[in-house]
Amino acid sequence: EPEVTQTPSHQVTQMGQEVILRCVPISNHLYFYWYRQILGQKVEFLVSFYNNEISEKSEIFDDQFSVERPDGSNFTLKIRSTKLEDSAMYFCATRGQYNQPQHFGDGTRLSIL
Amino acid sequence: EDQVTQSPEALRLQEGESSSLNCSYTVSGLRGLFWYRQDPGKGPEFLFTLYSAGEEKEKERLKATLTKKESFLHITAPKPEDSATYLCAVLDSIQGAQKLVFGQGTRLTINP
């Protein structure tokens, strides 16, 4: 069964450094999302991306965050200057047609020191 | 603002002991309710989508039902491999929005 693949599985970074999280969507999926889950808390929406542009973003997704699909396959989330509170699991999700469910990858655990 | 509340937070059952998990939601117009299963260290795995009150979906030992205010995930004769956190989410009610709003999950443990 097709899967959403995320790399790396675990990233440890010093505060203030830039990180890039990568996601390979399911083939022929058109809608892409990032969510995050702080330990012990709910899964929360960050951003949605369609047709090479952001279609929706949450209050969490401030100027430190950016997304792109540089080569038509990978979908990336960049955090420019990481803070301690950015430590969380980051999940990529993708879906096909409008009413189809979102399918999630296994996440990247981001640890900021 | 759309809200999703799941209960109980944690549930421990014996193998074969059936039960139900609850998901209450507050949205201005339901555009879809989703159930996911999440194993430790993994991403949410899609189980069901429900769109309208009265709708039911089944998969193996799981059955999801929907009313105008809540959804239930019924688990019949569970096995230890059904142990996981079960997440409920609604599609944001703003027309055209695509984000999922999640509940905090129910952590289900099935003892052999």
Side-chain angles (χ1 to χ4, degrees):
Chain A
E1 187 169 324
E3 290 184 343
V4 177
T5 306
Q6 290 187 243
T7 55
S9 56
H10 191 191
Q11 174 85 43
V12 182
T13 303
Q14 291 290 328
M15 187 173 60
Q17 296 296 304
E18 175 183 286
V19 295
I20 297 176
L21 310 183
R22 292 183 168 81
C23 169
V24 178
I26 293 173
S27 175
N28 79 3
H29 277 196
L30 303 174
Y31 299 84
F32 313 111
Y33 309 83
W34 286 101
Y35 291 81
R36 79 173 184 189
Q37 187 175 29
I38 295 171
L39 189 62
Q41 297 187 21
K42 297 182 182 184
V43 176
E44 50 189 351
F45 170 80
L46 293 178
V47 66
S48 60
F49 189 86
Y50 170 71
N51 202 24
N52 279 323
E53 60 183 26
I54 290 173
S55 47
E56 190 178 359
K57 60 183 181 179
S58 72
E59 292 176 355
I60 303 166
F61 195 88
D62 61 21
D63 292 343
Q64 294 300 313
F65 291 86
S66 63
V67 290
E68 63 176 0
R69 199 168 178 225
D71 55 10
S73 59
N74 288 307
F75 177 50
T76 63
L77 174 69
K78 183 193 291 186
I79 310 175
R80 253 179 283 281
S81 179
T82 50
K83 307 182 189 73
L84 293 175
E85 54 265 36
D86 293 329
S87 296
M89 282 290 287
Y90 287 80
F91 293 108
C92 172
T94 76
R95 73 173 166 86
Q97 297 303 313
Y98 185 72
N99 263 350
Q100 290 181 348
Q102 296 177 25
H103 291 272
F104 287 74
D106 281 339
T108 294
R109 180 179 302 282
L110 179 61
S111 301
I112 307 300
L113 304 178
Chain B
E1 185 177 316
D2 299 340
Q3 288 192 344
V4 179
T5 304
Q6 293 187 245
S7 61
E9 272 190 32
L11 181 62
R12 190 177 291 269
L13 300 172
Q14 289 298 121
E15 184 173 0
E17 181 184 0
S18 302
S19 188
S20 297
L21 314 182
N22 177 265
C23 170
S24 298
Y25 60 90
T26 306
V27 298
S28 55
L30 185 67
R31 294 169 56 224
L33 184 141
F34 301 81
W35 282 98
Y36 286 85
R37 169 190 170 128
Q38 187 175 26
D39 291 300
K42 299 286 189 180
E45 176 190 346
F46 171 72
L47 293 173
F48 303 109
T49 310
L50 300 165
Y51 291 106
S52 55
E55 191 174 357
E56 297 184 353
K57 294 273 179 75
E58 270 188 86
K59 180 180 178 179
E60 296 181 359
R61 295 176 292 282
L62 298 176
K63 183 167 84 170
T65 61
L66 183 65
T67 72
K68 288 186 178 177
K69 293 183 179 179
E70 56 192 351
S71 176
F72 292 94
L73 186 65
H74 307 278
I75 181 159
T76 303
K79 298 182 178 182
E81 54 261 41
D82 295 320
S83 297
T85 295
Y86 290 85
L87 302 174
C88 173
V90 296
L91 197 57
D92 186 274
S93 58
I94 297 173
Q95 197 62 34
Q98 300 171 37
K99 71 178 185 185
L100 290 174
V101 178
F102 281 86
Q104 74 274 30
T106 293
R107 190 171 64 254
L108 178 64
T109 305
I110 309 298
N111 294 317

